[in-house]
Amino acid sequence: ENKNYFFESGNTDINRNYDIFLSHSYLDKIQVLALVKLFNIHQFSVYVDWLEDNQLNREDVNVHTANLLRNRMKQSKCLSYLTTENITKSKWCPWEIGYFDGLKQSKCCILPVMDANLMDKNIWDCIHIWNMLLLQVLMQVVIFIYVTKIAQNL
């Protein structure tokens, strides 16, 4: 089965299953795209509402929206909660993690992402010593191991 859904959008297959439901703030769409690509590289299918169900209207949230999201969460093995300073502005993210936690008995992981501008100068000095490519590979391995462990426990 092809699990690389990164470039697909407008999915209308209501029966598709996903490895990961990605709960996030739309304000973090650049980070979301990078994370989806990373998960896809490691053969995990990811549900992101505006990539898969782009017919949803953010200006007209209604019962249909909530029902569709509930169904998508039921079709997902785990939930990843992308945490940034924008998450506090989201009305949906707290509801999604609460609903999913009750539905799947805590098969959720928190993915904190820090704004590089907020990092301490000493941390930046250490990071620049490392080869940036090495750091990217290390982060991919850490996320892959963590998500694989969650998926295996499903």
Side-chain angles (χ1 to χ4, degrees), residues 62-101:
N62 54 40
V63 174
H64 171 72
T65 305
N67 287 339
L68 180 64
L69 291 176
R70 279 188 200 100
N71 190 50
R72 294 301 193 192
M73 285 187 264
K74 289 175 186 173
Q75 294 168 288
S76 301
K77 293 179 183 175
C78 67
L79 179 139
S80 290
Y81 191 79
L82 181 61
T83 307
T84 68
E85 62 275 359
N86 291 323
I87 204 79
T88 59
K89 300 171 190 163
S90 172
K91 295 176 184 175
W92 284 101
C93 292
W95 175 79
E96 290 168 351
I97 197 167
Y99 180 82
F100 200 95
D101 182 49

Short mmCIF file of all heavy atoms in Angstrom, two decimals, residues 62-101:
data_model
loop_
_atom_site.label_atom_id
_atom_site.label_comp_id
_atom_site.label_asym_id
_atom_site.label_seq_id
_atom_site.Cartn_x
_atom_site.Cartn_y
_atom_site.Cartn_z
N ASN A 62 -18.74 23.62 11.34
CA ASN A 62 -20.07 23.19 11.75
C ASN A 62 -20.04 21.74 12.22
O ASN A 62 -18.97 21.15 12.38
CB ASN A 62 -21.05 23.37 10.57
CG ASN A 62 -20.55 22.69 9.31
OD1 ASN A 62 -20.01 21.58 9.37
ND2 ASN A 62 -20.72 23.34 8.18
N VAL A 63 -21.19 21.16 12.43
CA VAL A 63 -21.30 19.78 12.90
C VAL A 63 -20.64 18.82 11.91
O VAL A 63 -19.99 17.85 12.32
CB VAL A 63 -22.79 19.41 13.11
CG1 VAL A 63 -22.95 17.94 13.45
CG2 VAL A 63 -23.39 20.26 14.21
N HIS A 64 -20.79 19.08 10.60
CA HIS A 64 -20.16 18.23 9.59
C HIS A 64 -18.64 18.20 9.78
O HIS A 64 -18.02 17.14 9.69
CB HIS A 64 -20.51 18.74 8.19
CG HIS A 64 -19.73 18.06 7.11
ND1 HIS A 64 -19.96 16.75 6.73
CD2 HIS A 64 -18.69 18.51 6.34
CE1 HIS A 64 -19.09 16.42 5.78
NE2 HIS A 64 -18.33 17.46 5.53
N THR A 65 -18.05 19.36 10.07
CA THR A 65 -16.59 19.44 10.30
C THR A 65 -16.20 18.56 11.48
O THR A 65 -15.27 17.75 11.39
CB THR A 65 -16.16 20.89 10.56
OG1 THR A 65 -16.61 21.72 9.49
CG2 THR A 65 -14.65 21.00 10.69
N ALA A 66 -16.90 18.71 12.59
CA ALA A 66 -16.59 17.93 13.80
C ALA A 66 -16.76 16.43 13.54
O ALA A 66 -15.92 15.62 13.96
CB ALA A 66 -17.46 18.38 14.96
N ASN A 67 -17.82 16.06 12.85
CA ASN A 67 -18.05 14.64 12.55
C ASN A 67 -16.97 14.07 11.65
O ASN A 67 -16.51 12.94 11.85
CB ASN A 67 -19.43 14.44 11.92
CG ASN A 67 -20.55 14.60 12.93
OD1 ASN A 67 -20.34 14.47 14.13
ND2 ASN A 67 -21.74 14.91 12.44
N LEU A 68 -16.56 14.84 10.65
CA LEU A 68 -15.49 14.39 9.76
C LEU A 68 -14.18 14.20 10.53
O LEU A 68 -13.50 13.19 10.38
CB LEU A 68 -15.29 15.36 8.60
CG LEU A 68 -14.19 14.99 7.62
CD1 LEU A 68 -14.52 13.67 6.90
CD2 LEU A 68 -14.00 16.10 6.59
N LEU A 69 -13.84 15.15 11.40
CA LEU A 69 -12.62 15.03 12.19
C LEU A 69 -12.70 13.85 13.16
O LEU A 69 -11.71 13.13 13.33
CB LEU A 69 -12.34 16.33 12.94
CG LEU A 69 -11.93 17.51 12.06
CD1 LEU A 69 -11.77 18.77 12.89
CD2 LEU A 69 -10.65 17.21 11.28
N ARG A 70 -13.85 13.62 13.76
CA ARG A 70 -14.02 12.45 14.63
C ARG A 70 -13.77 11.16 13.84
O ARG A 70 -13.09 10.25 14.31
CB ARG A 70 -15.43 12.41 15.23
CG ARG A 70 -15.64 13.27 16.41
CD ARG A 70 -17.02 13.00 17.05
NE ARG A 70 -17.39 14.11 17.86
CZ ARG A 70 -18.24 15.07 17.51
NH1 ARG A 70 -18.85 15.05 16.36
NH2 ARG A 70 -18.50 16.05 18.33
N ASN A 71 -14.33 11.09 12.65
CA ASN A 71 -14.15 9.91 11.81
C ASN A 71 -12.68 9.73 11.44
O ASN A 71 -12.15 8.61 11.49
CB ASN A 71 -15.01 10.02 10.55
CG ASN A 71 -15.03 8.71 9.79
OD1 ASN A 71 -15.28 7.65 10.37
ND2 ASN A 71 -14.76 8.78 8.50
N ARG A 72 -12.01 10.81 11.08
CA ARG A 72 -10.59 10.73 10.72
C ARG A 72 -9.75 10.29 11.92
O ARG A 72 -8.78 9.55 11.76
CB ARG A 72 -10.09 12.06 10.16
CG ARG A 72 -10.72 12.46 8.84
CD ARG A 72 -10.47 11.43 7.77
NE ARG A 72 -10.81 11.97 6.46
CZ ARG A 72 -10.93 11.26 5.37
NH1 ARG A 72 -10.73 9.97 5.41
NH2 ARG A 72 -11.23 11.83 4.23
N MET A 73 -10.09 10.72 13.11
CA MET A 73 -9.36 10.29 14.29
C MET A 73 -9.59 8.80 14.55
O MET A 73 -8.66 8.09 14.92
CB MET A 73 -9.74 11.13 15.51
CG MET A 73 -9.12 12.52 15.46
SD MET A 73 -9.39 13.47 16.97
CE MET A 73 -10.84 14.41 16.48
N LYS A 74 -10.80 8.33 14.32
CA LYS A 74 -11.08 6.90 14.47
C LYS A 74 -10.29 6.08 13.46
O LYS A 74 -9.93 4.93 13.72
CB LYS A 74 -12.58 6.62 14.29
CG LYS A 74 -13.43 7.13 15.42
CD LYS A 74 -14.90 6.95 15.13
CE LYS A 74 -15.75 7.58 16.22
NZ LYS A 74 -17.18 7.55 15.89
N GLN A 75 -10.00 6.66 12.31
CA GLN A 75 -9.26 5.96 11.25
C GLN A 75 -7.74 6.08 11.42
O GLN A 75 -6.99 5.55 10.61
CB GLN A 75 -9.64 6.54 9.88
CG GLN A 75 -11.09 6.28 9.51
CD GLN A 75 -11.49 7.10 8.31
OE1 GLN A 75 -11.65 8.30 8.40
NE2 GLN A 75 -11.62 6.43 7.17
N SER A 76 -7.28 6.75 12.47
CA SER A 76 -5.85 6.98 12.69
C SER A 76 -5.37 6.14 13.88
O SER A 76 -6.08 5.98 14.86
CB SER A 76 -5.59 8.46 12.96
OG SER A 76 -6.01 9.24 11.86
N LYS A 77 -4.15 5.63 13.76
CA LYS A 77 -3.59 4.79 14.82
C LYS A 77 -3.13 5.61 16.02
O LYS A 77 -3.19 5.15 17.15
CB LYS A 77 -2.41 3.99 14.28
CG LYS A 77 -2.81 2.95 13.26
CD LYS A 77 -1.58 2.22 12.75
CE LYS A 77 -1.95 1.23 11.67
NZ LYS A 77 -0.76 0.60 11.07
N CYS A 78 -2.58 6.80 15.76
CA CYS A 78 -2.11 7.64 16.85
C CYS A 78 -2.25 9.11 16.46
O CYS A 78 -2.49 9.44 15.30
CB CYS A 78 -0.67 7.32 17.23
SG CYS A 78 0.55 7.72 15.97
N LEU A 79 -2.12 9.98 17.45
CA LEU A 79 -2.19 11.42 17.23
C LEU A 79 -0.87 12.04 17.62
O LEU A 79 -0.32 11.73 18.68
CB LEU A 79 -3.32 12.02 18.06
CG LEU A 79 -3.50 13.54 17.95
CD1 LEU A 79 -4.98 13.89 17.88
CD2 LEU A 79 -2.84 14.26 19.13
N SER A 80 -0.35 12.89 16.75
CA SER A 80 0.83 13.70 17.07
C SER A 80 0.37 15.14 17.22
O SER A 80 -0.33 15.66 16.36
CB SER A 80 1.89 13.60 15.97
OG SER A 80 2.47 12.34 15.96
N TYR A 81 0.73 15.74 18.32
CA TYR A 81 0.29 17.08 18.68
C TYR A 81 1.45 18.04 18.50
O TYR A 81 2.38 18.05 19.31
CB TYR A 81 -0.19 17.04 20.14
CG TYR A 81 -0.94 18.24 20.65
CD1 TYR A 81 -2.27 18.42 20.35
CD2 TYR A 81 -0.32 19.16 21.48
CE1 TYR A 81 -2.98 19.49 20.85
CE2 TYR A 81 -1.01 20.24 21.99
CZ TYR A 81 -2.35 20.40 21.67
OH TYR A 81 -3.05 21.47 22.18
N LEU A 82 1.44 18.79 17.42
CA LEU A 82 2.52 19.74 17.10
C LEU A 82 2.36 20.97 17.99
O LEU A 82 1.43 21.74 17.83
CB LEU A 82 2.47 20.12 15.63
CG LEU A 82 3.56 21.08 15.14
CD1 LEU A 82 4.94 20.47 15.33
CD2 LEU A 82 3.32 21.43 13.69
N THR A 83 3.29 21.13 18.92
CA THR A 83 3.19 22.19 19.91
C THR A 83 4.14 23.33 19.58
O THR A 83 5.35 23.14 19.52
CB THR A 83 3.54 21.64 21.31
OG1 THR A 83 2.73 20.50 21.55
CG2 THR A 83 3.29 22.66 22.38
N THR A 84 3.56 24.49 19.34
CA THR A 84 4.31 25.72 19.15
C THR A 84 3.59 26.81 19.95
O THR A 84 2.56 26.54 20.57
CB THR A 84 4.34 26.15 17.67
OG1 THR A 84 3.02 26.52 17.27
CG2 THR A 84 4.88 25.04 16.78
N GLU A 85 4.09 28.02 19.89
CA GLU A 85 3.39 29.11 20.58
C GLU A 85 2.01 29.36 19.94
O GLU A 85 1.11 29.92 20.57
CB GLU A 85 4.22 30.39 20.60
CG GLU A 85 4.55 30.98 19.25
CD GLU A 85 5.79 30.38 18.59
OE1 GLU A 85 6.44 29.51 19.18
OE2 GLU A 85 6.08 30.80 17.46
N ASN A 86 1.80 28.91 18.70
CA ASN A 86 0.52 29.12 18.01
C ASN A 86 -0.58 28.17 18.50
O ASN A 86 -1.76 28.42 18.25
CB ASN A 86 0.69 28.95 16.51
CG ASN A 86 1.50 30.06 15.91
OD1 ASN A 86 1.40 31.22 16.32
ND2 ASN A 86 2.33 29.73 14.94
N ILE A 87 -0.21 27.09 19.16
CA ILE A 87 -1.19 26.10 19.58
C ILE A 87 -2.22 26.71 20.54
O ILE A 87 -3.38 26.31 20.56
CB ILE A 87 -0.51 24.86 20.19
CG1 ILE A 87 -1.40 23.63 20.09
CG2 ILE A 87 -0.09 25.08 21.61
CD1 ILE A 87 -1.42 23.00 18.75
N THR A 88 -1.80 27.72 21.29
CA THR A 88 -2.71 28.35 22.25
C THR A 88 -3.82 29.14 21.55
O THR A 88 -4.85 29.44 22.15
CB THR A 88 -1.95 29.30 23.20
OG1 THR A 88 -1.29 30.30 22.42
CG2 THR A 88 -0.92 28.53 24.02
N LYS A 89 -3.62 29.45 20.27
CA LYS A 89 -4.62 30.20 19.50
C LYS A 89 -5.64 29.28 18.83
O LYS A 89 -6.62 29.75 18.26
CB LYS A 89 -3.92 31.05 18.44
CG LYS A 89 -2.96 32.05 19.01
CD LYS A 89 -2.13 32.71 17.93
CE LYS A 89 -1.01 33.53 18.56
NZ LYS A 89 0.03 33.85 17.62
N SER A 90 -5.40 27.98 18.89
CA SER A 90 -6.27 27.02 18.21
C SER A 90 -7.45 26.61 19.09
O SER A 90 -7.28 26.28 20.26
CB SER A 90 -5.47 25.77 17.83
OG SER A 90 -6.34 24.78 17.34
N LYS A 91 -8.63 26.63 18.51
CA LYS A 91 -9.82 26.14 19.22
C LYS A 91 -9.94 24.63 19.06
O LYS A 91 -10.52 23.94 19.89
CB LYS A 91 -11.07 26.80 18.66
CG LYS A 91 -11.12 28.29 18.92
CD LYS A 91 -12.32 28.92 18.28
CE LYS A 91 -12.28 30.42 18.48
NZ LYS A 91 -13.35 31.12 17.80
N TRP A 92 -9.38 24.08 17.97
CA TRP A 92 -9.56 22.67 17.65
C TRP A 92 -8.55 21.76 18.35
O TRP A 92 -8.89 20.63 18.73
CB TRP A 92 -9.46 22.45 16.14
CG TRP A 92 -10.70 22.90 15.43
CD1 TRP A 92 -10.87 24.08 14.75
CD2 TRP A 92 -11.93 22.21 15.35
NE1 TRP A 92 -12.14 24.15 14.26
CE2 TRP A 92 -12.82 23.00 14.60
CE3 TRP A 92 -12.38 20.98 15.82
CZ2 TRP A 92 -14.11 22.63 14.32
CZ3 TRP A 92 -13.69 20.60 15.54
CH2 TRP A 92 -14.54 21.42 14.80
N CYS A 93 -7.30 22.19 18.48
CA CYS A 93 -6.25 21.29 18.99
C CYS A 93 -6.55 20.72 20.37
O CYS A 93 -6.41 19.50 20.57
CB CYS A 93 -4.89 21.98 18.97
SG CYS A 93 -4.30 22.28 17.29
N PRO A 94 -6.96 21.51 21.35
CA PRO A 94 -7.28 20.91 22.66
C PRO A 94 -8.43 19.91 22.55
O PRO A 94 -8.40 18.86 23.20
CB PRO A 94 -7.69 22.12 23.52
CG PRO A 94 -7.05 23.29 22.84
CD PRO A 94 -7.03 22.98 21.37
N TRP A 95 -9.41 20.20 21.72
CA TRP A 95 -10.52 19.27 21.52
C TRP A 95 -10.02 17.98 20.87
O TRP A 95 -10.41 16.89 21.29
CB TRP A 95 -11.60 19.93 20.65
CG TRP A 95 -12.72 19.00 20.30
CD1 TRP A 95 -13.77 18.65 21.10
CD2 TRP A 95 -12.89 18.29 19.07
NE1 TRP A 95 -14.59 17.76 20.43
CE2 TRP A 95 -14.08 17.53 19.18
CE3 TRP A 95 -12.17 18.23 17.88
CZ2 TRP A 95 -14.55 16.71 18.16
CZ3 TRP A 95 -12.64 17.42 16.86
CH2 TRP A 95 -13.81 16.67 17.00
N GLU A 96 -9.15 18.10 19.87
CA GLU A 96 -8.65 16.91 19.16
C GLU A 96 -7.87 15.99 20.10
O GLU A 96 -8.10 14.78 20.11
CB GLU A 96 -7.77 17.33 17.97
CG GLU A 96 -8.56 17.95 16.85
CD GLU A 96 -7.71 18.62 15.78
OE1 GLU A 96 -6.48 18.77 15.98
OE2 GLU A 96 -8.28 19.00 14.75
N ILE A 97 -6.94 16.56 20.87
CA ILE A 97 -6.14 15.70 21.74
C ILE A 97 -7.00 15.10 22.85
O ILE A 97 -6.82 13.94 23.22
CB ILE A 97 -4.89 16.42 22.31
CG1 ILE A 97 -3.89 15.38 22.84
CG2 ILE A 97 -5.24 17.45 23.34
CD1 ILE A 97 -2.52 15.92 23.12
N GLY A 98 -7.97 15.84 23.36
CA GLY A 98 -8.87 15.29 24.37
C GLY A 98 -9.74 14.18 23.82
O GLY A 98 -9.89 13.12 24.44
N TYR A 99 -10.32 14.39 22.66
CA TYR A 99 -11.16 13.37 22.03
C TYR A 99 -10.34 12.13 21.71
O TYR A 99 -10.75 11.00 22.02
CB TYR A 99 -11.81 13.92 20.76
CG TYR A 99 -12.69 12.91 20.07
CD1 TYR A 99 -14.00 12.71 20.51
CD2 TYR A 99 -12.23 12.16 19.00
CE1 TYR A 99 -14.82 11.77 19.90
CE2 TYR A 99 -13.04 11.22 18.38
CZ TYR A 99 -14.33 11.03 18.84
OH TYR A 99 -15.13 10.09 18.23
N PHE A 100 -9.16 12.33 21.12
CA PHE A 100 -8.33 11.19 20.72
C PHE A 100 -7.84 10.41 21.94
O PHE A 100 -7.80 9.18 21.92
CB PHE A 100 -7.15 11.66 19.87
CG PHE A 100 -6.55 10.56 19.05
CD1 PHE A 100 -6.95 10.39 17.74
CD2 PHE A 100 -5.60 9.70 19.56
CE1 PHE A 100 -6.42 9.37 16.96
CE2 PHE A 100 -5.07 8.68 18.80
CZ PHE A 100 -5.48 8.51 17.49
N ASP A 101 -7.47 11.13 22.98
CA ASP A 101 -6.99 10.47 24.20
C ASP A 101 -8.07 9.55 24.76
O ASP A 101 -7.80 8.41 25.14
CB ASP A 101 -6.59 11.52 25.24
CG ASP A 101 -6.04 10.89 26.50
OD1 ASP A 101 -5.17 10.01 26.40
OD2 ASP A 101 -6.49 11.28 27.59
#
